[in-house]
């Protein structure tokens, strides 16, 4: 019976039309920045931030290979101000409008995925930083603070000039996945729900997303930055169960992952 259940599950996975799976653009494609860091390894965009000057959220999954020094994975510079938005390997080196965020000084753990979100609204003046679904820092911005436009966004390096001025001691080594920029400030509950849903829960692009992960994958790359599997394919998901007995917990997991309850419906027949 156990073997029969295995066959049924694998049949459902590989048979077209048997399941309806939610997929966004860029599903299971992470960007890897080598551990042996280089000033040549980065992704660069010139986004139009006109719609998010007063309210926005930036959320994504990040894995650090190294945390020696200050390792920045996200940098946005505009005009002569190069630290408008920078995110790194610990809470107290994040910057918004050139001001440092408060928060813990401990480095994020290496070689595991972290879900991070930064949210801001000029109406409340509140900037908030979340790690793995929990708020770890907040700060009140100056009155009428707005995100400047006509800037340059770089992944993997921290800018000290517009689109350049990189420092090898600040270069990022690790992986980034499902980075999104929203046109509104997400609530604490929404951030928590995104984390709890997991990195492999990947819906299609929503109306309030200014840049989705596919936009970052399509952006200009330099050096040895490359796409690698994020660990969210059907086979990646099943790999952790290799050698284990088919149990109700496994069936429940697969039922949730493969949208629509197909597994439970079949196994009840």
């Amino acid at each position: 019976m156990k073997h029969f259940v295995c066959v049924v599950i694998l049949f459902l996975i590989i048979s077209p039309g048997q399941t309806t799976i939610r997929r966004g653009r860029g599903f299971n494609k992470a960007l890897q920045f080598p551990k042996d860091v280089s000033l040549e390894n980065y992704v660069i965009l010139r986004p139009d931030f006109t719609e998010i000057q007063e309210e926005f959220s930036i959320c994504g999954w990040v894995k650090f290979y190294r945390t020696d020094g200050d390792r920045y994975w996200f940098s946005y510079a505009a005009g002569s101000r190069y630290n408008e938005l920078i995110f790194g390997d610990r809470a107290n080196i994040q910057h918004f409008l050139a001001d440092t965020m408060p928060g813990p000084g401990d480095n994020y753990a290496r070689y595991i995925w972290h879900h991070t979100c930064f949210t801001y609204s000029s109406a409340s003046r509140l900037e908030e930083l979340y790690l793995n679904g929990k708020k770890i820092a907040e700060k009140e911005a100056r009155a009428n603070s707005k995100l400047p436009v006509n800037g340059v966004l770089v992944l993997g390096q921290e800018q000290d000039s517009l689109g350049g001025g990189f420092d090898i001691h600040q270069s990022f080594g690790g992986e980034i996945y499902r980075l999104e920029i929203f046109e509104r400030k997400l609530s604490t509950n929404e951030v928590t729900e995104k984390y709890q849903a997991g990195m492999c829960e990947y819906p299609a692009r929503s109306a309030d997303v200014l840049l989705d992960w596919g936009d970052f994958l399509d952006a200009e790359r330099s050096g040895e930055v490359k796409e690698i599997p994020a660990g969210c394919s059907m086979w990646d998901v099943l790999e952790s169960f290799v050698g284990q007995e088919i149990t109700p917990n496994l069936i429940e997991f697969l039922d949730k992952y493969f949208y629509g309850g197909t597994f439970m419906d079949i196994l009840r027949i």
Side-chain angles (χ1 to χ4, degrees):
M1 178 60 182
K2 294 176 185 176
H3 296 295
F4 174 75
V5 174
C6 287
V7 171
V8 170
I9 290 174
L10 290 175
F11 175 77
L12 287 170
I13 291 171
I14 63 178
S15 298
Q18 293 295 322
T19 58
T20 303
I21 305 172
R22 286 173 285 185
R23 293 290 183 264
R25 196 161 59 108
F27 176 77
N28 199 38
K29 295 179 180 179
L31 286 178
Q32 182 186 57
F33 298 73
K35 181 179 179 181
D36 294 329
V37 296
S38 165
L39 298 179
E40 302 301 318
N41 297 337
Y42 60 88
V43 175
I44 187 168
L45 305 86
R46 293 169 177 81
D48 181 0
F49 279 169
T50 304
E51 299 299 321
I52 63 168
Q53 285 189 272
E54 299 183 9
E55 182 177 8
F56 64 90
S57 301
I58 300 173
C59 299
W61 294 84
V62 184
K63 181 190 295 185
F64 294 91
Y65 292 165
R66 54 192 303 170
T67 54
D68 53 325
D70 298 336
R71 301 293 175 181
Y72 294 100
W73 62 274
F74 183 108
S75 169
Y76 177 69
S80 60
R81 299 177 60 174
Y82 311 128
N83 294 328
E84 298 296 348
L85 275 173
I86 57 175
F87 304 138
D89 58 8
R90 62 182 188 272
N92 66 353
I93 63 169
Q94 324 294 319
H95 286 69
F96 175 55
L97 301 181
D99 284 340
T100 306
M101 288 283 292
D106 298 331
N107 292 113
Y108 299 156
R110 294 181 298 156
Y111 295 105
I112 64 172
W113 285 107
H114 300 279
H115 184 255
T116 178
C117 274
F118 176 84
T119 67
Y120 173 71
S121 168
S122 62
S124 66
R125 296 175 55 187
L126 191 62
E127 38 188 291
E128 297 172 305
L129 180 66
Y130 297 83
L131 182 69
N132 297 331
K134 297 180 179 180
K135 187 190 300 184
I136 60 171
E138 66 178 33
K139 184 176 180 179
E140 188 175 90
R142 296 184 298 272
N144 302 315
S145 293
K146 294 183 180 181
L147 187 66
V149 297
N150 301 319
V152 176
L153 195 163
V154 172
L155 301 182
Q157 305 284 348
E158 192 272 325
Q159 303 173 71
D160 285 328
S161 65
L162 203 61
F166 306 147
D167 182 338
I168 194 67
H169 300 292
Q170 298 177 327
S171 300
F172 172 69
E175 301 170 30
I176 304 173
Y177 183 52
R178 283 189 60 193
L179 178 60
E180 296 175 296
I181 300 181
F182 297 84
E183 296 179 346
R184 63 181 180 86
K185 185 180 188 298
L186 299 180
S187 68
T188 297
N189 286 342
E190 287 176 309
V191 173
T192 301
E193 287 171 1
K194 284 185 173 296
Y195 167 67
Q196 291 177 341
M199 60 182 287
C200 296
E201 180 73 9
Y202 201 122
R205 182 171 182 154
S206 61
D208 57 1
V209 172
L210 179 69
L211 294 177
D212 73 3
W213 183 228
D215 295 315
F216 290 97
L217 291 176
D218 292 341
E220 178 185 346
R221 295 181 209 166
S222 174
E224 298 181 10
V225 180
K226 63 181 181 180
E227 291 181 17
I228 64 171
C232 292
S233 74
M234 291 175 275
W235 302 112
D236 291 328
V237 171
L238 287 175
E239 186 177 6
S240 61
F241 295 100
V242 170
Q244 297 186 29
E245 181 180 347
I246 301 298
T247 66
N249 287 339
L250 173 57
I251 302 303
E252 181 180 356
F253 176 85
L254 294 174
D255 185 54
K256 177 181 178 182
Y257 184 78
F258 296 96
Y259 176 69
T262 305
F263 288 101
M264 294 303 290
D265 292 341
I266 293 294
L267 293 174
R268 288 191 189 104
I269 296 176

